[in-house]
RNA sequence: GUCCCCGUCGUCUAGCCUGGUUCAGGACACCGCCCUUUCACGGCGGCGACACGGGUUCAAAUCCCGUCGGGGACACCA
């Protein structure tokens, strides 16, 4: 038995948790659970400017909602803490100074303005944008003098001037980078915080991370990190770079395409288990034939070998379908809870639901049934139950309510329905079907007009159920209004 | 511009490593039929792909090279 697997998800709290980040977190989590390993959550808040408390809370909340529980990290601690990089500043400083004293890194006094200017210059000449290593060979005396003067400075790593660095990636295979393409990159910023590449290496080493699973946008950072591990004299973890998630236009996934943050999906009425299942299937497949996996399935079946190296387009329709599959498994109570916020937001029900309203909503959700795939759809699917006036789909109304037979048919129907003492499916059914055959119509010739008169749409829950929930009075009223309006 | 990654139905993918069993399988979406004297569900069926060009081989989606296309990285962001 080799050493115990330890993986980590290391988001920076600079925004909400995104589907891309969530998928990375999920793969790490699944890998850990599959191997009986440890899943660490580490917060990379070294960018003081952009990190916010709010993002931090939002990320944690999204993780919890998805069910991605961490074994070590914020709120619960662990043997390798602290788990916020901002609380580990001394550690990075210590390690960085050690590299400097060993001659593996150096202090650099170039100002950001100077560097930006030089970069512009290089860019104009069409040359490689690289640091010119101006401070690499400053004498120790010079360095001491400038530091004593309090001149702002960063620390840079002395990248090997030649040779190449190979990455043995568990997803991409062997990738080699020429060291000349590496730069003398910054490891400590002038504000005393470490840069990403340095902090990640120090922490992964200290936290005994065995596998780094992350987005493949980090692949080109990896050689830099590997040379750091070597300089620090600590073994590098295994790497697995998973492909990114793209938008439908194959570009970067953005709000323009739809929801991108986990919180947004939650708010739209998606189920966490559906999102987890869907995300797991982006660049990973078990047998290419199975789509639905419980979390337990995923834990049991996940493996890095089956992660593909091709990027995946986020397909909203498939997610919706999948959410619908999980919706079927939820109790009526769950679905009511899911739907209420959307009805509320649409102004269809009022904040604290009284018992009558709640049981009405319950009936509505019941008849909407499997048509409801995502919580927010309740408004389109069943809004007409709550509104005083029907909003007709113009094309549908024109096609089904305008025809000549509808007026007379409605009139008779209204009379017969009015005569009903009990207004339920067993009494409505014979009235409707009877009228159809009497008038020599096809069922849809009467049913569709009635449906549109009552709901405004050509698609709705079963007609009789709709009528029952609406009740006799509203049903008659809507029939009448439609008759006057269109015939 | 330089470096790196990727290229199977519209989309997610199986197959590729270990070439023949594949005129390429599943799912979502779309279309049609059946079921239902309504909507939907369900059942059945259809449409639909190996980026292109060379090479290796008796045989290539599978191996090699090139082209094109997409993406990523080149910061005192992570």
């Amino acid at each position: 038995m080799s050493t115990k697997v330890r993986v980590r998800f290391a988001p920076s709290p600079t925004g909400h948790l995104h589907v891309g980040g969530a998928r990375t977190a999920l793969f790490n989590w699944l890998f850990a659970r599959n191997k009986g390993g440890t899943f660490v959550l580490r917060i990379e808040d070294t960018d003081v400017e952009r990190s916010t408390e709010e993002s931090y809370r939002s990320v944690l909340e999204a993780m919890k909602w998805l069910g991605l529980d961490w074994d070590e990290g914020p709120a619960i601690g662990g043997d390798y803490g602290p788990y916020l990089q901002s609380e580990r500043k001394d550690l990075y400083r210590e390690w960085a100074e050690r590299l400097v004293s060993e001659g593996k890194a150096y202090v650099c006094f170039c100002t950001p303005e100077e560097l930006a200017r030089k970069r512009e210059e290089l860019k104009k000449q069409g040359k490689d944008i690289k640091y010119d290593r101006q401070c690499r060979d400053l004498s120790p005396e010079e360095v001491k003098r400038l530091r004593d003067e309090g001149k702002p400075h960063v620390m840079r790593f002395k990248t090997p001037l030649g040779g190449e660095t190979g990455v043995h990636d568990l997803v991409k295979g062997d990738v080699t980078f020429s060291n000349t393409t590496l730069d003398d990159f910054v490891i400590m910023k002038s504000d005393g915080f470490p840069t990403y590449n340095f902090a990640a290496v120090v922490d992964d080493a200290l936290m005994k991370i065995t596998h780094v699973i992350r987005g493949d946008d980090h692949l080109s950072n990896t050689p830099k990190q590997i040379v750091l591990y070597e300089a620090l004299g600590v073994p590098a973890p295994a790497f697995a770079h998973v492909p990114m998630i793209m938008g439908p236009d194959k570009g970067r996934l953005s709000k323009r395409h739809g929801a991108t943050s986990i919180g947004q999906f939650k708010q739209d009425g998606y189920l966490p288990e559906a999102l987890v299942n869907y995300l797991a299937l982006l660049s990973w497949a078990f047998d290419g034939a199975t789509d639905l996996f419980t979390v337990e399935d995923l834990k049991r079946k996940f493996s890095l070998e089956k992660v593909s190296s091709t990027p995946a387009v986020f397909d909203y329709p498939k997610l919706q379908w999948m959410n619908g599959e999980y919706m079927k498994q939820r109790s009526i109570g769950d679905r009511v809870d899911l739907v209420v916020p959307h009805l509320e937001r649409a102004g269809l029900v009022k904040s604290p639901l009284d018992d009558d309203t709640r049981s009405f909503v319950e009936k509505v959700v019941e008849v909407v049934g499997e048509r409801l795939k995502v919580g927010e759809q309740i408004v389109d699917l069943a809004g007409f139950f709550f509104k005083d006036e029907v909003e007709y789909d113009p094309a549908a109304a024109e096609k089904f309510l305008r025809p000549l037979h509808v007026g007379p048919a409605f009139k008779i129907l209204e009379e017969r329905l009015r005569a009903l003492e009990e207004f339920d499916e067993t009494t409505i059914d014979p009235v409707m079907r009877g009228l159809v055959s009497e008038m020599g119509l096809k069922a849809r010739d009467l049913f569709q007009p009635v449906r549109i008169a009552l709901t405004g749409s050509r698609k709705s829950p079963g007609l009789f159920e709709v009528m029952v929930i609406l009740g006799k009075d509203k049903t008659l009223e809507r029939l009448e209004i439609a008759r006057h309006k269109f015939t």
Side-chain angles (χ1 to χ4, degrees), chain A residues 138-156:
Chain A
L138 289 179
S139 69
E141 296 75 33
E142 181 78 350
V143 171
K144 185 175 184 322
R145 188 178 62 77
L146 290 166
R147 282 184 91 162
D148 288 347
E149 276 176 23
K151 193 157 195 270
H153 60 274
V154 301
M155 291 185 203
R156 290 181 181 271

Side-chain angles (χ1 to χ4, degrees), chain A residues 177-392:
Chain A
F177 295 82
S178 163
N179 287 341
T180 57
T181 66
L182 267 33
D183 216 349
D184 278 359
F185 54 92
V186 173
I187 58 177
M188 291 296 286
K189 302 186 263 188
S190 57
D191 64 3
F193 277 90
T195 59
Y196 163 73
N197 279 312
F198 188 61
V201 166
V202 171
D203 286 345
D204 287 340
L206 253 24
M207 294 180 180
K208 301 252 183 346
I209 299 303
T210 58
H211 300 254
V212 169
I213 304 168
R214 76 221 310 190
D216 71 8
D217 49 337
H218 286 288
L219 186 54
S220 39
N221 279 321
T222 310
K224 294 181 183 175
Q225 300 188 0
I226 288 178
V227 294
L228 274 175
Y229 282 108
E230 284 166 0
L232 257 16
V234 292
F239 292 97
H241 288 93
V242 308
M244 318 216 64
I245 298 174
M246 324 297 290
D249 58 2
K250 306 229 182 187
R252 252 198 139 82
L253 184 65
S254 75
K255 306 100 240 152
R256 178 165 46 87
H257 302 116
T260 56
S261 74
I262 299 305
Q264 185 65 53
F265 281 104
K266 179 187 178 193
Q267 197 175 59
D268 288 348
Y270 283 87
L271 267 11
E273 63 269 35
L275 214 43
V276 162
N277 190 157
Y278 180 71
L279 253 18
L281 254 25
L282 256 24
S283 293
W284 176 83
F286 175 63
D287 56 10
T290 317
D291 284 300
L292 267 14
F293 296 89
T294 64
V295 181
E296 288 308 312
D297 273 340
L298 290 173
K299 287 195 216 167
R300 213 172 310 121
K301 291 169 174 165
F302 183 81
S303 73
L304 285 175
E305 291 76 56
K306 286 192 165 289
V307 173
S308 87
S309 50
T310 67
V313 170
F314 196 91
D315 190 39
Y316 290 89
K318 185 151 185 174
L319 203 216
Q320 280 197 9
W321 163 78
M322 196 169 274
N323 205 66
E325 293 301 305
Y326 283 98
M327 201 71 101
K328 292 178 193 169
Q329 299 174 13
R330 290 300 193 104
S331 69
I332 184 78
D334 281 356
R335 279 177 286 149
V336 169
D337 291 340
L338 193 74
V339 135
V340 167
H342 297 96
L343 292 174
E344 230 180 286
R345 213 168 298 144
L348 301 176
V349 298
K350 267 179 259 84
S351 218
L353 255 53
D354 56 64
D355 289 353
D356 285 353
T357 313
R358 171 134 189 135
S359 74
F360 181 71
V361 172
E362 202 170 301
K363 272 192 268 178
V364 167
V365 170
E366 185 76 62
V367 302
V368 168
E370 296 182 359
R371 277 164 271 253
L372 185 78
K373 291 184 161 62
V374 181
E376 65 177 351
Q377 293 174 337
I378 194 68
V379 176
D380 284 337
L381 254 25
F384 65 87
F385 280 121
F386 301 87
K387 292 176 185 163
D388 290 330
E389 275 182 41
V390 176
E391 291 163 17
Y392 304 98

Side-chain angles (χ1 to χ4, degrees), chain A residues 367 385 409 412-438 443 446-447 450-451 454 461-476 479:
Chain A
V367 302
F385 280 121
I412 303 170
L413 181 61
E414 286 162 36
E415 283 163 16
R416 295 191 183 171
L417 290 175
R418 187 171 290 117
L420 255 27
E421 290 194 8
E422 292 292 321
F423 196 74
D424 57 33
E425 286 181 54
T426 56
T427 57
I428 295 169
D429 187 306
V431 170
M432 290 285 289
R433 297 196 201 285
L435 188 56
V436 165
S437 60
E438 255 175 63
L446 180 65
F447 282 50
V450 170
R451 182 187 312 283
L454 299 182
L463 235 204
F464 306 154
E465 295 166 299
V466 167
M467 294 167 96
V468 173
I469 293 185
L470 240 26
K472 189 166 158 184
D473 293 346
K474 272 195 178 170
T475 299
L476 288 172
L479 251 19

